[in-house]
Each structure stands twice: as C-alpha cells, then as structure tokens.
Amino acid sequence: MKLLLDFFPIVLFFAAFKVWGIYVATGVAIAATIAQIAWLKYSTGRIEPMQWLSLGIIVLFGGATILAHDETFIKWKPTVLYWLMGGALAVGLLVFRKNLLKSLMGAQLELPEAAWRTMNWSWVAFFAVMGVLNLWVAFHFDTNTWVNFKLFGGLGLMALFVVGQALYLSRYMKDTKEAGARDS
C-alpha cells in the first residue's frame, strides 16, 4: 500500500501529461503530493523527512514551472531529489559517521558493518547516476520521451537496482538464518 501511495503523484503526473500537457500535469503532481502528505498525516499521523523534502521540491520546482511557464524547472526536479537523497546518505556517513540506511532499516535487517557500508555507497552511486541520466534524457529528447522515461525508465531502473540489492543482501540473510538455526 505504501509503495502504491509513493507512486501516486508520478502516475497522476504521467496521466495528466498525456491528456493535458506538462503544465497541467505539473499542477496535478503538486496537488497529488499535497494530498499524499495529507493522507499520510491523517492515516498514520507521521510524515517521514524524505516525504517533506519531496513535497518541498515539487512545490518549488513545479511552482516555478507553472509561474515561469518553463518546463525546464520540472525536468530538474527528479535530479535534485536524487542528488539530495544520495548526498544525505554520503554526508551521513562521511561527516556524521552515521549510516542512514542502517538507521532506517537496522531493525528489519541484521547485517555486518561492511554490508551496510556497501549498501549505503551503492545507493549514493545509484542516485548520482539517476540524476545524471534524468538530465540527459530531459535535455536530449523531447518532453514526451522524458515523461515516459520518468515513469517507466526511472521506476524500472529502481526496480532492477532493488533486485540487485536483494541479491547482494541474500548471502547475508542465509548466514543469519543458519546462525539462528544453530542457536535453536
């Protein structure tokens, strides 16, 4: 359910773009993100920092797109979000000596420190590459191609990356299960 809610604004942006164009789609994305945050606040009472960040970025870049009537701003939005997320992971580790992925997922996964570090840096690299790839598609292809890439390419690459992470982590999960079986 949470995953569907996370993709709700992207899917509505895509649908609105196909029917009404980039400016209406941008307004729809802003409204959908606000509705998403309102629903989360109502249903769970909690909004995660990344959700607030995403809301701020869509309002800022989407608002600039609508006010200036210039689609360049909305095309930069995914890159800025990717780079801020990757930057947060890198700064967390380099400056604060804190693995933010471990902080978020440590209760669900028991991994050696080296695996947490590898996972953190792989996400940093993924976000950096996705930011560059978004800009490349946005400024080397037409807007229709960029919107298609944003939905299908971005989500597809994210799914492939998550599968790769799962395969990487699976070797540690087996060790954890075997250790738990020996202790029983």
Side-chain angles (χ1 to χ4, degrees):
M1 181 67 172
K2 184 183 179 322
L3 189 62
L4 289 176
L5 190 60
D6 287 343
F7 295 127
F8 173 70
I10 297 169
V11 171
L12 289 181
F13 173 84
F14 177 82
F17 173 80
K18 295 300 182 181
V19 176
W20 297 294
I22 193 71
Y23 302 108
V24 171
T26 300
V28 166
I30 293 169
T33 305
I34 291 169
Q36 174 190 42
I37 296 293
W39 170 252
L40 287 169
K41 184 71 173 165
Y42 170 77
S43 65
T44 67
R46 177 169 151 60
I47 309 298
E48 296 174 15
M50 288 309 298
Q51 292 164 323
W52 284 118
L53 179 65
S54 183
L55 174 64
I57 290 172
I58 187 63
V59 168
L60 178 69
F61 285 82
T65 295
I66 293 168
L67 289 173
H69 212 69
D70 183 352
E71 63 189 45
T72 301
F73 295 105
I74 198 65
K75 289 180 176 180
W76 268 92
K77 181 250 171 204
T79 293
V80 169
L81 190 59
Y82 287 134
W83 287 351
L84 284 174
M85 290 188 299
L89 293 174
V91 167
L93 209 53
L94 293 172
V95 175
F96 298 106
R97 303 281 183 234
K98 185 168 179 98
N99 188 318
L100 298 177
L101 285 181
K102 183 178 180 182
S103 297
L104 290 171
M105 301 169 51
Q108 292 91 4
L109 290 171
E110 189 175 320
L111 299 171
E113 283 304 314
W116 281 115
R117 211 170 20 264
T118 298
M119 194 163 78
N120 189 83
W121 286 118
S122 65
W123 276 101
V124 169
F126 175 76
F127 287 138
V129 168
M130 286 299 292
V132 170
L133 190 55
N134 176 69
L135 290 177
W136 183 74
V137 172
F139 296 109
H140 285 87
F141 296 92
D142 64 4
T143 301
N144 188 56
T145 301
W146 174 75
V147 170
N148 288 334
F149 170 77
K150 184 173 164 30
L151 179 64
F152 301 111
L155 294 180
L157 290 170
M158 177 74 74
L160 285 173
F161 183 75
V162 168
V163 167
Q165 286 281 297
L167 291 172
Y168 169 74
L169 293 176
S170 68
R171 65 176 152 183
Y172 296 105
M173 304 318 240
K174 292 174 188 171
D175 293 343
T176 304
K177 288 179 186 176
E178 290 170 6
R182 284 191 299 249
D183 294 340
S184 305

